[in-house]
Amino acid sequence: MQAATAGKIALAAAAFGLAGVLVFASLRDKGDAPPVPAMNASAGVTLESLEAAAKAAPQDPEAWMALGMAYFDADDYPRAVSALEHAANLAPDRARIWSVLGEARARGSERDPMPPAAVEAFRKALAIDPKDPPSRYFLAAKRDLDGDHKGAIDDWFALLADTPPGAPWETDLRRTIQQVGKLHGIDVAPRLASVKQPAPPAMPPAGASAPAMAGLGGPTADEVREAARLSPSQQNEMAQGMVARLEERLKADPKDVARWVMLMRSRMTLGEPARASAALKAAVAANPGAKAELEGQAKALGVPF
């Protein structure tokens, strides 16, 4: 029972939001296209329009990945799984698709917190990219569920050592290590205090091209080129729409510090430092006790304040 409880803590704390975070990076305008308006229903960009686009391009993995991520962001995991499975069948060598599919399968499971199908997807992702952050995180959670608590914590520390300060999942990863360690009487404080992390990547200035963020589990150059197969308006509309939905979630739950960090990173990735700064101010106003943490994260992201 205790193992299951710890495993559920690990899964509940996985506010990686990597599906959304990675798409912000991979779909960002590359500097050679004009800006477009944010995605919203009045502009005609909806889940229905993404569904239509995917059905019109049944052999395009990017279109199905986009649809699957939109379903994921809407917490519609059964449909996310279906769309992402289609994308995986079309592009089986894409680690990103497999890891998001694994997370969708895990989050959509009503009984088993880590169903075999999710484990299979995460393992396929790691076979392609051994550094894939979400797959590493969730497979460590699987070890914890299986009773290997020390092994799970070791795996999470290995992931933390590859996580630049300010990465969207850093806070939740540290919290998971602390909670699972406390539950099983494993002293993790010295290791958390001394863990060495890589330097955060420099964020591009507004309007500049976004570098591949491999250290954050972001897109490689090849993946950026593949994302470029979508029209510039499709790329930006989708990214802006996901950011808008993230903002709506924060209106409903402004105490979610991790999502505020995610919003700041997303705004910086989209070349919107002023809006990132506004997000920081709103985050601090809603969470005054986390002011130092939020400002530290903002500094690492290059948010002006």
Side-chain angles (χ1 to χ4, degrees):
M1 178 65 70
Q2 192 178 49
T5 299
K8 289 177 181 177
I9 287 174
L11 295 175
F16 267 41
L18 283 179
V21 171
L22 298 179
V23 90
F24 300 147
S26 65
L27 298 184
R28 181 174 184 265
D29 179 80
K30 300 300 175 286
D32 57 356
V36 298
M39 183 172 94
N40 53 55
S42 63
V45 182
T46 63
L47 266 175
E48 288 74 18
S49 67
L50 289 174
E51 290 170 342
K55 289 177 181 178
Q59 300 304 311
D60 185 354
E62 297 298 337
W64 286 93
M65 178 70 162
L67 178 59
M69 299 251 249
Y71 281 137
F72 187 106
D73 191 57
D75 297 332
D76 188 342
Y77 301 119
R79 289 186 179 182
V81 167
S82 179
L84 291 166
E85 285 177 345
H86 191 83
N89 287 332
L90 294 171
D93 59 344
R94 292 280 300 279
R96 197 80 64 238
I97 296 176
W98 287 110
S99 62
V100 178
L101 174 57
E103 187 171 354
R105 285 172 170 173
R107 291 181 182 274
S109 175
E110 295 182 358
R111 295 183 178 85
D112 186 348
M114 186 62 67
V119 174
E120 177 188 22
F122 290 134
R123 286 177 175 163
K124 285 184 177 180
L126 286 181
I128 299 166
D129 177 9
K131 292 290 188 180
D132 184 67
S135 297
R136 293 170 68 187
Y137 180 93
F138 284 105
L139 288 180
K142 171 63 174 171
R143 291 187 73 171
D144 190 56
L145 284 166
D146 290 342
D148 184 4
H149 315 304
K150 183 180 182 303
I153 287 174
D154 287 343
D155 287 349
W156 284 320
F157 267 113
L159 175 56
L160 183 59
D162 289 336
T163 297
W169 60 89
E170 181 190 12
T171 298
D172 295 291
L173 179 56
R174 286 179 174 273
R175 185 181 300 120
T176 297
I177 292 171
Q178 291 172 330
Q179 290 178 336
V180 175
K182 181 178 180 180
L183 187 62
H184 296 291
I186 301 172
D187 184 10
V188 298
R191 293 177 69 182
L192 281 172
S194 63
V195 65
K196 293 183 178 179
Q197 297 174 252
M203 296 301 295
S209 297
M213 300 169 69
L216 295 178
T220 63
D222 287 342
E223 288 169 331
V224 167
R225 282 192 289 271
E226 287 189 39
R229 290 167 54 195
L230 297 174
S231 70
S233 62
Q234 286 176 316
Q235 294 176 8
N236 284 274
E237 286 171 353
M238 181 178 171
Q240 290 282 7
M242 295 182 76
V243 175
R245 288 193 291 276
L246 178 58
E247 288 183 322
E248 288 300 314
R249 290 186 178 186
L250 283 167
K251 288 179 182 177
D253 182 14
K255 298 299 183 182
D256 192 334
V257 173
R259 286 194 187 277
W260 281 113
V261 175
M262 201 180 297
L263 178 60
M264 287 189 288
R265 175 174 292 282
S266 303
R267 288 299 184 195
M268 291 300 292
T269 302
L270 289 168
E272 300 172 342
R275 299 182 96 176
S277 180
L280 171 62
K281 292 177 182 177
V284 171
N287 302 274
K291 182 175 186 291
E293 177 186 355
L294 285 163
E295 290 186 346
Q297 300 274 23
K299 183 177 180 181
L301 293 171
V303 177
F305 66 96

